Amino acid sequence: MAGRFEARPGGGAAVALDEVEISILRSLAVQLLELIGPGDEPAEGEDPLAALFAEGPSEPPADPALRRLFPDAYADDTDELRQAAADFRRFTENDLRARKRQDALAVVRSLDELSSSIASGDGGKGLGGGPGEGPGAGEGKAGDPDGNGNGDDGEGGGILELAPEGSRAWLGTLNDLRLTIASRLDITEDEQSERLYRLPDSDPTKPMVMAYLWLGGLQETLVETLMA
């Protein structure tokens, strides 16, 4: 199980993570939340229903990473298509941002609960639910990251177990993280990722590249569990 998601009986997925991996994933998810932004909360006395239907921006974001997370719905070849893309963005981007924030928050919370279970060694009940789910949605088992029942292997790791809804939240966030890192690395085509495996250790982008490839492996195996 180490380094890859595996399907759980009855649905969902599980992955073994050590403390360093947990820390990296949490840091990346928090940075993603900061990039997406906090969202607009209704002002005091404002009708929440009116805020729900508030229009979003009509122009694409300036940040290249955000443009990948929130792309135009149509190619801007003509004035008509540009206007259609602006209208579509105006009525959909706020909801899309809210969903991405919700997914990333679910990832952070599940990692925090797994860290707590590792620290306490109590088995970490209640991990891995989807957005808004409480205890009982999944489990995090501390001290047995290989799932072999042998207890702590010295790496201070644990097993993150996700319910089906939690798996979908993780999949969305892993995809968003890879899109963001690809933007920072200027990766625009799948073929370009092949060169990343050949980067020398002296390359300053190597740590980010390693994170990009690692996240890709997690994403791929999580997709496999959802399709099983």
Side-chain angles (χ1 to χ4, degrees):
M1 182 184 296
R4 57 179 291 117
F5 279 97
E6 294 183 2
R8 295 177 61 198
V15 63
L17 299 170
D18 63 35
E19 289 184 331
V20 173
E21 292 169 331
I22 293 170
S23 177
I24 292 172
L25 283 167
R26 188 187 190 282
S27 176
L28 290 172
V30 168
Q31 291 179 60
L32 179 63
L33 282 167
E34 293 173 349
L35 178 66
I36 294 172
D40 295 327
E41 296 295 331
E44 186 175 354
E46 183 180 353
D47 182 0
L49 186 61
L52 180 64
F53 290 99
E55 294 185 2
S58 58
E59 296 295 327
D63 189 307
L66 284 175
R67 283 203 298 272
R68 289 208 186 183
L69 295 179
F70 307 103
D72 278 331
Y74 311 102
D76 58 351
D77 294 331
T78 66
D79 289 342
E80 183 179 358
L81 285 177
R82 281 194 290 271
Q83 185 58 50
D87 291 340
F88 186 84
R89 180 181 297 276
R90 184 180 303 116
F91 294 110
T92 61
E93 184 170 310
N94 284 348
D95 287 342
L96 183 56
R97 281 180 182 264
R99 188 173 77 240
K100 290 181 182 295
R101 280 193 298 270
Q102 193 175 39
D103 287 347
L105 280 170
V107 169
V108 171
R109 288 165 181 159
S110 63
L111 291 170
D112 285 347
E113 292 178 22
L114 180 57
S115 293
S116 296
S117 74
I118 292 171
S120 64
D122 64 358
K125 300 295 182 181
L127 291 179
E133 293 186 14
E139 297 180 350
K141 298 181 180 178
D144 187 17
D146 293 324
N148 56 19
N150 292 331
D152 195 346
D153 68 350
E155 294 183 358
I159 297 175
L160 176 69
E161 296 188 351
L162 302 173
E165 183 65 20
S167 295
R168 287 187 285 272
W170 266 76
L171 184 60
T173 296
L174 288 173
N175 184 63
D176 288 344
L177 287 172
R178 293 193 77 239
L179 286 173
T180 300
I181 295 175
S183 174
R184 301 306 189 217
L185 293 172
D186 198 26
I187 299 173
T188 57
E189 299 179 4
D190 291 340
E191 291 77 8
Q192 289 181 282
S193 63
E194 293 298 322
R195 66 178 172 82
L196 302 180
Y197 290 95
R198 301 189 294 271
L199 281 180
D201 291 341
S202 59
D203 192 295
T205 66
K206 188 66 175 285
M208 191 180 297
V209 166
M210 296 302 294
Y212 176 79
L213 296 174
W214 175 52
L215 292 171
L218 289 174
Q219 182 183 15
E220 181 179 358
T221 56
L222 184 52
V223 169
E224 291 172 356
T225 69
L226 293 174
M227 297 178 63

